[in-house]
Amino acid sequence: MPCVGSAVLAVKGMRTLAFANLFFAAVCSVFGQSELQPKYSIPASLAKLPEPADFMGVWLRSDGGYRLEVLADSESPQGVVVRYFNPAPIQVESASFVGSGAQLALHIVLRDTGYDGSTYQLEYRADRCALAGTYTRPGNSPAPVYFVNQAEQ
């Protein structure tokens, strides 16, 4: 019977290896988009809950010349102003924070030639010091994206 026990252990090990490979592939699909990589990897247990101030700054998208400038604006009802560049300026129709606590996100609507209602839904990832989320063009499925802070590069 020792062979049966060895076979069971081998199958469990293969499942663990398969899970690890799937997890690695998922992480790489989001964080392996280009040469721009988040500089930090902070354990989730130490990462703090996001707040609007965490989103402020100049952010570079990992897969191209896209730049997002997020600025606090006390005169705006949303408390935030966003500028978007690809690399030329693209008109931002609206930007606002949605959700709260761990679910706080920045929702951005673009309204320009070639950007008729395209949206970003981005969360601050304290464990990576990055903005991660989705980019959606009308009529298309959301695509995973992330931005790294220009000051961290």
Side-chain angles (χ1 to χ4, degrees):
M1 289 294 181
C3 291
V4 173
S6 297
V8 169
L9 288 175
V11 169
K12 286 183 179 178
M14 290 175 65
R15 280 192 225 157
T16 302
L17 181 60
F19 176 76
N21 284 336
L22 285 173
F23 179 76
F24 179 73
V27 169
C28 287
S29 70
V30 173
F31 290 108
Q33 295 176 11
S34 85
E35 296 175 7
L36 285 176
Q37 293 292 316
K39 197 173 192 179
Y40 305 103
S41 180
I42 300 167
S45 61
L46 298 177
K48 68 180 193 75
L49 289 177
E51 54 190 71
D54 295 324
F55 291 80
M56 303 305 157
V58 178
W59 301 88
L60 306 174
R61 200 167 105 180
S62 60
D63 61 344
Y66 308 98
R67 188 174 85 238
L68 196 62
E69 295 178 359
V70 183
L71 309 164
D73 183 4
S74 60
E75 295 181 17
S76 166
Q78 293 77 23
V80 65
V81 170
V82 172
R83 295 186 193 122
Y84 184 69
F85 302 86
N86 176 19
I90 303 297
Q91 181 67 37
V92 175
E93 179 180 271
S94 65
S96 60
F97 289 106
V98 294
S100 63
Q103 304 302 316
L104 182 65
L106 178 60
H107 182 77
I108 302 165
V109 178
L110 305 176
R111 189 74 64 189
D112 209 331
T113 305
Y115 293 87
D116 193 27
S118 297
T119 63
Y120 278 104
Q121 185 83 12
L122 302 169
E123 296 178 353
Y124 177 72
R125 295 282 314 273
D127 60 329
R128 302 291 291 181
C129 294
L131 297 181
T134 57
Y135 173 70
T136 307
R137 294 181 69 114
N140 293 335
S141 297
V145 295
Y146 74 92
F147 290 80
V148 294
N149 195 303
Q150 182 175 1
E152 300 292 333
Q153 295 302 304

